[in-house]
Amino acid sequence: MKKQLLDNASDTSLDRVDGAVKVTGTATYSAEYLVPGLVHAVLVTSTIAKGSITAIESREAEAVPGVLAVISHLNAITVPGWPERKQPAERVPVGTALRVFYDPLIYFDGQPVAMVVAGTREQAVHAASLVRVTYQQETHQTHFEKNIGKAGVPLNVQRSKNSPFQDYQRGEEAKSENTEVRIEAEYTIPTQHHQPLEPHAIIAVWEADDKLTVYDKNQGVKSAQGQLAQAFKLPRENVQVISKYIGGAFGSGIRVWPHTMAAVMAAKQLKRPVKLVLGREQMFTSVGYRPYTVQKINIGATKDGRLIGIVHEGTGQTSMYEEHLERTVLASRTLYACPHVATRYHLLPLDVNTPTWMRGPGDATGMFALESAMDELAFALKMDPLEFRLKNYAESDPERNLPWSAKSLRECYELGAEKFRWNNRMQAPRSVTQNGLLMGYGMASSLYGFHRHPSKVRAVIQADGSVIVQSATMDIGPGTGTAMTRIAAKVLGVNAKKIRFELGHSALPDAPGQNGSATIPSVGSAVHVACEALKTRLVALAREMSERFKSGGQVVVRNGQVYGSVDDKDGVSYADILKCHHLNELEVTEESKSGAERDQYSMYSFGCHFVEVLVSPLTGEVRVTRVVTCADVGAIINCKTARSQSIGGVVGGIGMALMEHSEMDHRFGRYVTTDFAGYHIPVHADIPPIEVYYIDKPDVHVNPIGSKGLGEIAIVGVAAAIANAVFHATGKRVRELPITPDKLV
Ligand code: MOS
């Protein structure tokens, strides 16, 4: 059941259920709610990276017509969930989220120090430019390489024996240093920013002293509800978080950030609804980023290409006040059959804002190093890179000593190689040219952990036979509503057009936020079980109506009707079942979660990418000219939206490999690439045809729908595949992303 999804006429995928409202501009995003009495806030941010505020001169700003307040630590309300302010202010212990307008201390350049609220955004922007902040500056450290000696084991890991980030060892570390063929290399990933098209935005409305509604761009309405309820010491149900449409997030919306708190505080203080939209430049210091990370890999094999040892060390950047940990080195324990493996993970705190999860966090970073090193080792072994990977294929999880719940990576390799025509690859680098350009082929593997969280779904069938399915899940772009509609339609035998899926509101049944590629595995399973339960109720009601439906397992549902058997010509419609029983509607709520299978199987999504590049020998410009990407994520729910996710992942990977780099001027500890002129992301002209394939075989052990996460595995490994193709084209190994022309000429 291998599916090529390009222009596939037989594909019965649903179009996006919210496509029309999005393209016609009628979908309401967080900043677009029309709330009576709305006022506008603009942040003033710190221009030093470390120190403290000595004075804030706001009289000129306050005199601007329309200005309602200039809020700072000098006059901000007390947030009930925060500890009392210390006099004099003290730097917080590691692990404390930044408290906005709390005290005069500065932890990073770009930190909010004041906020102007005015009747119009223009008034607020102008007044914000008039706020004068003076500082007592302290020496800051923002340079990763210069400070790497200060990196260490995260406190979080020191305190938690069972942390997955503890040093890991199997076999003997010394064994990898005494192999017949060995590579030792260092790989660097610079800071990269999510930068979704829609900037983060919030409208905060206090409906009463103890009732808060926020329209906030985030990836989890339930977790935002919990965090806001905790901060303001409110019962959860008194906080409503609405985030129905999201113009991209990529991890930047997983937590509640200081700007969100600032808007909620201002709305409380002024007793007015407050809207705050971050400026593009503020997006570089307000909502996290992929942390600067340096990795060392020492990898060795026998002469015939059997892996003996891998030592993988990673050091990531974090802030002075929080530790952001990610899976950087973990894949090296799992991806290949290798007897001697050691991993170590360190953090380097700097005077910067806290990083966060971004597009395959940790794994995308780690896989760049591991899959580059695998390519380097294959070259040293004079082996085909794909053959080398197949030779070290892990038939079971070498880390946990457990069988895979399912793994079709071999099929991915075979299908991808065939479609890409990998066999045409010349072994020697720099051996193929096309119109004066150097051509190279590269490939890399991909894996991503399986995440499934408890999820509740309500399914309601109405008198006319239409169905509403609800869950407080999110859609940051992959088309959650579309996939869920597909699942419900299949279970209930109802036309998708008669199903409405509702999400993005904290009053809906409890569901995880959208992250870790967990939505389909978690919420999709809950949709499945809720619709199964609803179907069971409907069939039971049908049985009360007629003998025809009493034939045990024979009963089927299709076209919104119950039939006595597959061949039955006359069914009874759901609408008639409800009518007959004098019901206006019928509702079920079900929860779905993992069970004992989590301890019996090791669960991952797998994949691989094949990439062709052309490199100009004169200018060093790299063009990706062809990509074949293949994934094994269990059952595919909706091919069309799945394919879009895979394409998005490859596009993100091309950005990561060739362009994305947040450059800092360390004299000031300040980013200088704070717009899309300086921070490059791929545009249409940078993207070649991308062929997407899925193995599409249900993983029967993971959940009732047999489906694993797809969103993030789509990017994991792409940067390595491109770097490997660049090496094949040019003979130059670039170990520091992005691969810009200067590194190739
Ligand atoms: Mo993703 S980085 O878990 O939004």
Side-chain angles (χ1 to χ4, degrees):
M1 265 210 301
K2 289 162 185 172
K3 281 188 185 158
Q4 150 69 314
L5 298 159
L6 215 62
D7 308 318
N8 188 340
S10 67
D11 178 20
T12 54
S13 280
L14 287 184
D15 292 340
R16 284 182 186 255
V17 294
D18 50 5
V21 292
K22 282 188 171 177
V23 299
T24 54
T26 53
T28 310
Y29 290 78
S30 294
E32 298 178 327
Y33 285 83
L34 299 172
V35 178
L38 190 68
V39 293
H40 300 263
V42 168
L43 289 172
V44 178
T45 57
S46 133
T47 53
I48 64 164
K50 187 178 181 186
S52 57
I53 301 166
T54 50
I56 297 181
E57 176 48 68
S58 58
R59 265 172 301 181
E60 218 185 322
E62 278 153 1
V64 170
V67 168
L68 299 166
V70 178
I71 297 171
S72 70
H73 71 286
L74 298 171
N75 61 353
I77 59 157
T78 304
V79 174
W82 291 349
E84 222 170 288
R85 294 177 168 91
K86 293 218 168 80
Q87 297 290 355
E90 285 173 18
R91 291 205 168 251
V92 293
V94 171
T96 313
L98 187 86
R99 298 180 192 126
V100 68
F101 310 146
Y102 181 74
D103 61 27
L105 298 176
I106 300 298
Y107 294 87
F108 59 90
D109 180 275
Q111 177 181 325
V113 290
M115 188 164 81
V116 178
V117 188
T120 68
R121 181 170 161 84
E122 290 70 22
Q123 291 166 334
V125 168
H126 174 56
S129 74
L130 302 174
V131 176
R132 303 275 169 257
V133 184
T134 46
Y135 303 92
Q136 184 177 358
Q137 201 167 346
E138 293 170 42
T139 312
H140 62 261
Q141 300 296 341
T142 53
H143 199 294
F144 190 96
E145 311 280 349
K146 280 189 185 152
N147 288 283
I148 191 146
K150 296 179 202 158
V153 178
L155 290 174
N156 189 293
V157 176
Q158 292 177 30
R159 290 178 191 140
S160 154
K161 255 193 134 107
N162 296 325
S163 166
F165 304 103
Q166 288 280 359
D167 288 0
Y168 168 84
Q169 176 129 19
R170 71 167 178 260
E172 294 163 58
E173 188 168 336
K175 288 271 162 71
S176 36
E177 276 154 32
N178 291 313
T179 50
E180 291 165 346
V181 188
R182 189 166 73 91
I183 293 291
E184 194 173 349
E186 190 174 288
Y187 303 89
T188 301
I189 301 214
T191 295
Q192 301 172 332
H193 279 81
H194 313 75
Q195 291 303 343
L197 192 56
E198 178 205 24
H200 281 244
I202 173 175
I203 295 174
V205 189
W206 285 87
E207 321 274 0
D209 261 358
D210 62 348
K211 262 192 109 201
L212 171 66
T213 299
V214 299
Y215 305 91
D216 177 47
K217 172 176 176 150
N218 64 60
Q219 291 177 234
V221 285
K222 282 286 186 184
S223 64
Q225 178 193 43
Q227 289 174 60
L228 289 168
Q230 204 174 24
F232 290 92
K233 293 213 165 145
L234 297 171
R236 273 188 89 111
E237 60 274 17
N238 285 23
V239 179
Q240 289 303 341
V241 180
I242 297 151
S243 194
K244 209 172 157 190
Y245 297 102
I246 294 159
F250 315 117
S252 58
I254 295 176
R255 60 184 291 194
V256 167
W257 295 106
H259 73 273
T260 301
M261 288 297 296
V264 175
M265 288 161 70
K268 178 117 190 157
Q269 188 162 345
L270 297 172
K271 298 187 167 40
R272 297 283 293 268
V274 169
K275 168 149 99 177
L276 174 63
V277 180
L278 294 183
R280 183 57 66 188
E281 72 289 358
Q282 293 172 340
M283 289 283 292
F284 283 84
T285 48
S286 305
V287 290
Y289 52 91
R290 190 194 295 287
Y292 197 109
T293 303
V294 171
Q295 300 172 75
K296 273 194 197 134
I297 292 210
N298 187 334
I299 185 167
T302 58
K303 265 188 282 192
D304 64 348
R306 215 161 28 83
L307 275 175
I308 296 297
I310 306 173
V311 182
H312 188 168
E313 297 173 333
T315 301
Q317 168 175 311
T318 195
S319 68
M320 287 292 179
Y321 52 96
E322 285 179 296
E323 292 187 322
H324 170 70
L325 299 137
E326 49 186 40
R327 299 177 39 88
T328 314
V329 298
L330 302 197
S332 288
R333 306 173 184 176
T334 322
L335 186 54
Y336 297 108
C338 178
H340 307 282
V341 175
T343 68
R344 290 183 277 275
Y345 179 63
H346 291 166
L347 282 181
L348 174 61
L350 293 170
D351 296 305
V352 293
N353 59 314
T354 309
T356 195
W357 300 281
M358 173 170 152
R359 308 181 196 151
D363 287 307
T365 304
M367 205 64 78
F368 167 64
L370 176 61
E371 287 295 274
S372 292
M374 283 291 286
D375 200 72
E376 297 200 47
L377 189 52
F379 180 69
L381 287 160
K382 300 189 174 58
M383 261 180 98
D384 176 86
L386 176 56
E387 187 194 331
F388 180 44
R389 285 167 175 85
L390 282 165
K391 182 141 194 167
N392 293 286
Y393 194 81
E395 300 291 351
S396 60
D397 180 356
E399 181 189 10
R400 293 176 70 202
N401 278 320
L402 285 175
W404 307 110
S405 57
K407 178 178 181 180
S408 299
L409 179 56
R410 185 177 278 115
E411 290 82 344
C412 285
Y413 287 143
E414 284 164 2
L415 182 61
E418 175 202 325
K419 298 294 180 184
F420 186 81
R421 297 182 297 282
W422 179 257
N423 281 345
N424 293 344
R425 183 180 186 270
M426 309 283 283
Q427 189 72 5
R430 219 182 165 98
S431 53
V432 181
T433 55
Q434 189 182 78
N435 303 326
L437 301 173
L438 301 166
M439 181 190 271
Y441 284 5
M443 61 86 53
S445 318
S446 179
L447 105 168
Y448 193 81
F450 174 75
H451 303 287
R452 180 182 174 197
H453 312 293
S455 307
K456 283 188 187 146
V457 162
R458 182 186 300 131
V460 189
I461 185 150
Q462 298 179 297
D464 64 352
S466 63
V467 178
I468 301 170
V469 184
Q470 298 174 315
S471 176
T473 181
M474 312 296 295
D475 183 7
I476 62 171
T480 307
T482 312
M484 300 305 169
T485 299
R486 188 92 200 262
I487 294 170
K490 197 171 157 195
V491 174
L492 289 168
V494 170
N495 187 309
K497 290 201 168 65
K498 295 195 81 176
I499 298 172
R500 190 169 83 235
F501 186 81
E502 295 177 351
L503 50 59
H505 195 304
S506 59
L508 296 171
D510 212 350
Q514 184 154 73
N515 56 68
S517 305
T519 306
I520 292 280
S522 313
V523 184
S525 299
V527 169
H528 179 91
V529 298
C531 291
E532 284 286 355
L534 186 60
K535 181 170 85 181
T536 304
R537 295 274 302 275
L538 286 162
V539 169
L541 292 174
R543 285 190 173 132
E544 288 173 26
M545 290 163 66
S546 160
E547 288 295 318
R548 281 197 299 133
F549 305 117
K550 293 204 168 141
S551 53
Q554 303 253 312
V555 171
V556 295
V557 296
R558 60 173 187 264
N559 302 327
Q561 313 215 24
V562 178
Y563 293 86
S565 69
V566 183
D567 305 319
D568 197 351
K569 294 278 180 295
D570 294 312
V572 56
S573 73
Y574 291 154
D576 285 342
I577 294 172
L578 262 61
K579 199 170 160 191
C580 176
H581 290 272
H582 307 290
L583 293 168
N584 277 331
E585 59 177 38
L586 186 63
E587 175 190 323
V588 300
T589 300
E590 290 287 327
E591 188 185 41
S592 177
K593 58 184 175 192
S594 294
E597 74 279 4
R598 293 306 287 262
D599 301 321
Q600 294 157 357
Y601 298 97
S602 186
M603 301 168 178
Y604 284 88
S605 292
F606 298 94
C608 57
H609 316 283
F610 294 84
V611 172
E612 178 191 275
V613 297
L614 288 176
V615 183
S616 162
L618 289 177
T619 67
E621 185 194 7
V622 178
R623 306 288 306 177
V624 177
T625 44
R626 206 154 60 85
V627 179
V628 170
T629 183
C630 187
D632 160 34
V633 296
I636 296 295
I637 301 296
N638 195 59
C639 292
K640 188 174 182 185
T641 43
R643 176 174 174 264
S644 294
Q645 281 203 75
S646 291
I647 291 172
V650 171
V651 173
I654 291 173
M656 181 177 176
L658 301 180
M659 297 162 204
E660 295 186 60
H661 179 193
S662 300
E663 184 83 64
M664 200 176 247
D665 183 338
H666 294 289
R667 291 173 301 168
F668 308 107
R670 183 179 306 156
Y671 290 111
V672 291
T673 47
T674 56
D675 56 25
F676 289 136
Y679 187 83
H680 291 182
I681 53 173
V683 298
H684 279 90
D686 297 313
I687 303 304
I690 299 169
E691 288 178 43
V692 180
Y693 300 92
Y694 301 115
I695 303 302
D696 196 14
K697 203 156 78 181
D699 181 333
V700 296
H701 295 299
V702 288
N703 57 25
I705 54 174
S707 200
K708 296 186 275 200
L710 169 64
E712 305 192 71
I713 195 170
I715 185 174
V716 175
V718 174
I722 294 170
N724 296 343
V726 168
F727 171 76
H728 187 234
T730 64
K732 266 195 189 166
R733 175 63 60 178
V734 181
R735 302 187 184 90
E736 183 183 0
L737 296 184
I739 306 168
T740 42
D742 53 298
K743 293 173 186 165
L744 291 171
V745 290

